[in-house]
Amino acid sequence: MIEPRLHIEFNEATHYRDAMKRTSFEKMHCSIARSLEVIGDWWSPLIVRDLFLGVTRFDDLAEDLGISRNLLTRRLGALVENRIVRRVAYSEKPLRYEYHLTEAGRGLVPILAALTAWGDRWVASKEGKPILFVHTGCGKKISAQVVCSGCGEALHADNLKALPGPGGAAKAGTKVIARKLAAMR
């Protein structure tokens, strides 16, 4: 198990200053970087998790996550803008919304299940797994893993190789990687 080297107090970890700007990955020539541009802050994966688990109203999200209302408003706005989440009115007077995952948002659920499995293995709490996932097709509890779409074998760092893709290029975010991948052809 990996022991965290740096303990960050909750309030420090969630304090954002308006003057602080983070680097944008939007123009990086990398699918991981562009994905992180959309869902790479600390809160977005947790918001997606909660929405998947049925916590869909603003007040419930704020309570469950312990996130400030202004930060939750900004994160939900970004997730809506990036088409990960959609707003659905559930009350007209006063106007109130629920938040639901879009197809793109639902596409993140298996990734979060895999991240949960990684966390359960490498940074687990002493109390045990905080959530269990069940495959609705067979009813069995699962520990998510990434498998080969061709043969079904579980993928690991020692049985996975990268090759250049059709959109690969030596641009911001992939300059060195593009050269390495080109040499592997």
Side-chain angles (χ1 to χ4, degrees):
M1 175 166 15
I2 297 172
E3 291 295 325
R5 291 182 160 190
L6 176 64
H7 177 73
I8 301 173
E9 292 297 324
F10 182 77
N11 289 336
E12 273 183 53
T14 59
H15 183 72
Y16 295 91
R17 295 182 186 192
D18 292 333
M20 188 169 74
K21 302 258 186 200
R22 69 179 178 97
T23 300
S24 174
F25 293 157
E26 184 178 10
K27 295 195 184 339
M28 277 196 181
H29 203 71
C30 170
S31 297
I32 294 172
R34 288 192 307 272
S35 298
L36 290 173
E37 180 70 22
V38 175
I39 53 109
D41 67 280
W42 290 359
W43 291 110
S44 291
L46 298 176
I47 292 168
V48 170
R49 176 207 62 193
D50 275 17
L51 295 176
F52 171 70
L53 296 174
V55 181
T56 60
R57 295 189 176 177
F58 186 92
D59 289 339
D60 294 336
L61 287 163
E63 178 185 357
D64 192 56
L65 295 169
I67 186 174
S68 70
R69 296 176 73 79
N70 66 338
L71 184 53
L72 179 57
T73 297
R74 288 197 309 265
R75 294 315 317 140
L76 283 169
L79 290 169
V80 168
E81 182 181 331
N82 287 297
R83 299 183 307 270
I84 303 299
V85 170
R86 62 184 168 86
R87 290 185 342 161
V88 178
Y90 71 87
S91 171
E92 290 186 25
K93 293 186 182 182
L95 184 58
R96 301 253 191 254
Y97 293 97
E98 286 185 328
Y99 296 87
H100 297 271
L101 295 175
T102 62
E103 183 179 354
R106 292 180 63 75
L108 291 167
V109 172
I111 295 164
L112 295 180
L115 186 58
T116 300
W118 182 90
D120 289 344
R121 178 169 181 194
W122 296 104
V123 291
S125 69
K126 293 175 183 160
E127 294 83 15
K129 297 177 180 182
I131 189 169
L132 300 173
F133 290 101
V134 175
H135 179 232
T136 58
C138 70
K140 302 281 186 193
K141 292 178 189 165
I142 62 106
S143 178
Q145 58 181 327
V146 179
V147 298
C148 174
S149 59
C151 70
E153 182 180 347
L155 297 177
H156 305 282
D158 59 352
N159 70 357
L160 190 62
K161 174 179 155 182
L163 298 173
K171 294 184 179 180
T174 59
K175 289 179 182 177
V176 175
I177 291 172
R179 288 194 304 264
K180 287 185 169 286
L181 291 176
M184 298 172 101
R185 287 185 187 198

